[in-house]
Amino acid sequence: MSNERAETPFDDDALHEECGVFGIFGHPDAGALTVLGLHALQHRGQESVGIVSYDGVQFIAERHAGLVGDAFGKNGQHAHKLKGTQALGHVRYSTTGGSFARNIQPMYADLSGGAIALAHNGNLTNAHKLREQLVRDGAIFQSTSDTEAIIHLVARSHSRQVVDRLVDALKQVEGAYSLVALTAKKLIGVRDPWGVRPLVLGDLDGAPILASETCALDIIGATYVRDIEAGELVVCTKDGIESYRPFTAQPKRFCIFEYVYFARPDSMVEGVNVYEARKRIGAELAFEAPAEADMVIPVPDSGVPAALGYASASGIPFELGIIRNHYVGRTFIEPSDPIRHLGVRLKHNPNRAKLKGKRVILVDDSIVRGTTSKKIVEMVRDAGASEVHFRIASPPTTHSCFYGVDTPNKEELLAHRMTVEEMREYICADSLAFISIDGLYRATGEVKRNAKNPQFCDACFSGDYPIDLTDVDGGRADRQLSLLAEVA
Ligand code: SF4
């Protein structure tokens, strides 16, 4: 799976993170800083961007389809509207049928006791059930986003304080979420009790920041303070930051796929540098699945750190055998048939001079449907490689994610349908190997996976789902619970 992340419809053979969040409180440039923070989080969602700021009198909302730079970069006209010292922003990747303006976060509502803007990264696993109840009780939904269900639950709470109302709402919610809310006087951040999705606390000149990843802090020169902990709720006001633990404690299950693919390699995630973790994954893979070859080449960009780790551990030279065109993106969002036919070649070109007659170890982060992997192996062979040994920096992806990552139905996942040998044959590689699940755990600093109480969420590899799948089990969803799933 190459790291194109929803840039083009002809490459949907990839997993997609659905959202990134950024909030800042008490800084004179809050709006512009939020634009920059979201720009750094663009890899977590490219379909739309929304920012809400508060200028001391009113909330100002800007929501746009497309990339942050396209919406807020050009002449800065939209960014200048975001006045005030506090702001909350969100980038998202839509999973079904395009990006509807009504679903662009943050969601905003005027409630008794004051207004609230809310954005989250993740997915509620009882969203359909909640929505049915709310609609039966008279709620009128403006969107199909499960964030709106949270807003309705906040509105119905009988507590007086906004933080208590938010807690009342979240106690009814199941799923994985890192949520940030903005009111006239507070910036609030919450991680679900399992801590599946990331959320960090930063500081810029005394102004607290909540962001999905530390790369959003780096871009504005902010300091990383700490990760928000699983089940923790923090409230930032002019008087400082308060921390609460309002939920029943659960075993922590951070998403291990953040280390493999989703997070940016320059981010620190749960105290671990993502780039180093990926290199260690490559080293483990070299140890577990060696091959005799002349060179190690990554499928760019996401396979690069693991390929470096593999090369370093095996002593086989690292080479750039595939060159990625970074400028293929939304220009081809609706490609004509002849362009669509070119597929993977629009983005990846083999470095023929390097590959001719060589035995190659090709390293990628994962195999989803297998269609892209097959084309890449074919491309490397056509360029003259004499052998292609495919090494994958994650265990076989056998199950769908229901916690905020867009994955196909499990029936479409190659590893769900085939054995490793069948997959090797399908993609036409000379050999194929995946890192073991224990090897992946070792790369993140664990000794091995604790089978009784896994240290991470690894459900897409193991089928061991830590959080109830109420909507799925109740027959309300036969696939991933999309943030955009239309409810009949
Ligand atoms: S199922 Fe996979 S992608 Fe989804 S949260 Fe768990 S580890 Fe991450």
Side-chain angles (χ1 to χ4, degrees):
M1 174 175 74
S2 52
N3 191 19
E4 266 59 0
R5 303 179 193 272
E7 285 173 347
T8 55
F10 46 73
D11 176 25
D12 67 346
D13 185 25
L15 303 182
H16 301 286
E17 181 67 80
E18 286 185 355
C19 304
V21 290
F22 182 97
I24 182 165
F25 189 89
H27 196 288
D29 296 322
L33 292 168
T34 303
V35 170
L36 290 171
L38 292 178
H39 178 62
L41 296 172
Q42 189 77 82
H43 59 289
R44 299 185 77 87
Q46 300 92 41
E47 294 274 324
S48 64
V49 50
I51 301 177
V52 169
S53 70
Y54 180 68
D55 68 1
V57 178
Q58 61 178 356
F59 286 85
I60 302 145
E62 286 289 326
R63 297 186 186 87
H64 301 274
L67 302 175
V68 178
D70 294 342
F72 291 101
K74 224 177 184 179
N75 308 321
Q77 76 269 39
H78 295 309
H80 286 145
K81 295 179 200 164
L82 295 164
K83 300 197 186 317
T85 58
Q86 58 216 62
L88 166 61
H90 186 266
V91 286
R92 74 189 288 270
Y93 168 75
S94 69
T95 57
T96 57
S99 187
F100 302 109
R102 62 196 171 129
N103 283 312
I104 299 176
Q105 298 187 40
M107 297 269 158
Y108 169 85
D110 267 317
L111 308 175
S112 64
I116 187 167
L118 215 141
H120 88 278
N121 167 214
N123 210 44
L124 306 188
T125 52
N126 66 340
H128 298 309
K129 188 172 166 226
L130 284 173
R131 189 184 176 102
E132 280 174 10
Q133 282 167 357
L134 286 161
V135 169
R136 256 199 312 272
D137 291 348
I140 298 169
F141 277 78
Q142 305 284 327
S143 76
T144 53
S145 162
D146 45 2
T147 314
E148 195 181 355
I150 301 175
I151 288 203
H152 280 286
L153 294 173
V154 173
R156 273 149 207 257
S157 166
H158 296 299
S159 297
R160 290 190 57 206
Q161 301 296 326
V162 67
V163 173
D164 297 331
R165 296 176 76 168
L166 186 59
V167 169
D168 287 346
L170 293 176
K171 281 184 173 170
Q172 299 172 64
V173 154
E174 295 166 5
Y177 57 84
S178 282
L179 179 147
V180 182
L182 185 71
T183 71
K185 293 183 179 165
K186 296 178 174 75
L187 179 72
I188 304 164
V190 199
R191 263 180 104 182
D192 72 72
W194 288 264
V196 176
R197 304 255 71 90
L199 188 65
V200 298
L201 176 66
D203 178 278
L204 181 65
D205 307 328
I209 296 162
L210 293 164
S212 293
E213 291 182 37
T214 58
C215 61
L217 306 177
D218 295 338
I219 193 172
I220 58 172
T223 312
Y224 163 65
V225 177
R226 66 180 177 86
D227 285 51
I228 303 302
E229 293 182 11
E232 183 182 8
L233 181 148
V234 292
V235 181
C236 311
T237 65
K238 64 179 176 40
D239 299 321
I241 301 172
E242 289 177 359
S243 167
Y244 302 90
R245 302 271 175 180
F247 311 113
T248 308
Q250 301 290 348
K252 190 173 170 191
R253 292 289 193 93
F254 181 64
C255 167
I256 203 163
F257 224 134
E258 292 279 351
Y259 292 114
V260 173
Y261 175 65
F262 300 131
R264 242 172 65 163
D266 50 340
S267 282
M268 294 290 293
V269 171
E270 296 282 302
V272 175
N273 175 260
V274 175
Y275 176 73
E276 290 300 332
R278 285 182 190 162
K279 278 176 71 181
R280 285 197 295 273
I281 291 171
E284 286 285 345
L285 198 48
F287 173 71
E288 290 185 353
E292 287 203 4
D294 302 307
M295 63 179 68
V296 178
I297 68 169
V299 178
D301 291 325
S302 53
V304 172
L308 281 167
Y310 194 112
S312 164
S314 64
I316 300 170
F318 173 93
E319 297 285 0
L320 292 178
I322 300 173
I323 305 302
R324 181 184 166 195
N325 183 337
H326 286 259
Y327 304 99
V328 176
R330 311 191 74 80
T331 317
F332 295 110
I333 199 79
E334 286 176 12
S336 63
D337 274 350
I339 292 174
R340 191 189 298 272
H341 176 69
L342 294 173
V344 72
R345 286 174 193 273
L346 280 176
K347 292 168 285 181
H348 294 120
N349 196 41
N351 188 352
R352 288 170 197 281
K354 271 282 160 205
L355 295 171
K356 197 162 188 307
K358 294 294 193 301
R359 298 168 302 165
V360 164
I361 296 171
L362 193 57
V363 180
D364 204 354
D365 54 82
S366 57
I367 294 181
V368 184
R369 291 184 179 86
T371 47
T372 301
S373 305
K374 188 177 171 67
K375 285 178 192 157
I376 284 178
V377 171
E378 184 187 356
M379 186 179 76
V380 170
R381 272 198 204 286
D382 287 351
S386 60
E387 292 176 19
V388 182
H389 301 276
F390 211 13
R391 295 293 177 267
I392 307 299
S394 59
T397 305
T398 50
H399 290 72
S400 304
C401 176
F402 296 93
Y403 304 139
V405 174
D406 181 35
T407 42
N409 293 333
K410 70 178 179 186
E411 288 71 25
E412 294 175 49
L413 296 168
L414 198 68
H416 182 78
R417 295 190 284 119
M418 295 185 187
T419 64
V420 174
E421 174 55 20
E422 287 167 343
M423 285 192 271
R424 182 203 66 72
E425 209 171 302
Y426 173 78
I427 64 172
C428 302
D430 290 284
S431 72
L432 170 67
F434 296 76
I435 192 169
S436 69
I437 203 149
D438 279 338
L440 180 57
Y441 272 66
R442 277 196 295 277
T444 63
E446 301 290 338
V447 176
K448 59 185 259 198
R449 181 180 193 261
N450 178 345
K452 284 199 182 129
N453 188 13
Q455 301 92 320
F456 292 97
C457 176
D458 55 23
C460 47
F461 311 125
S462 65
D464 180 355
Y465 292 97
I467 306 172
D468 288 348
L469 304 179
T470 301
D471 286 336
V472 178
D473 296 339
R476 291 180 178 84
D478 59 359
R479 66 178 303 274
Q480 191 209 10
L481 305 176
S482 160
L483 290 173
L484 277 175
E486 295 286 352
V487 179

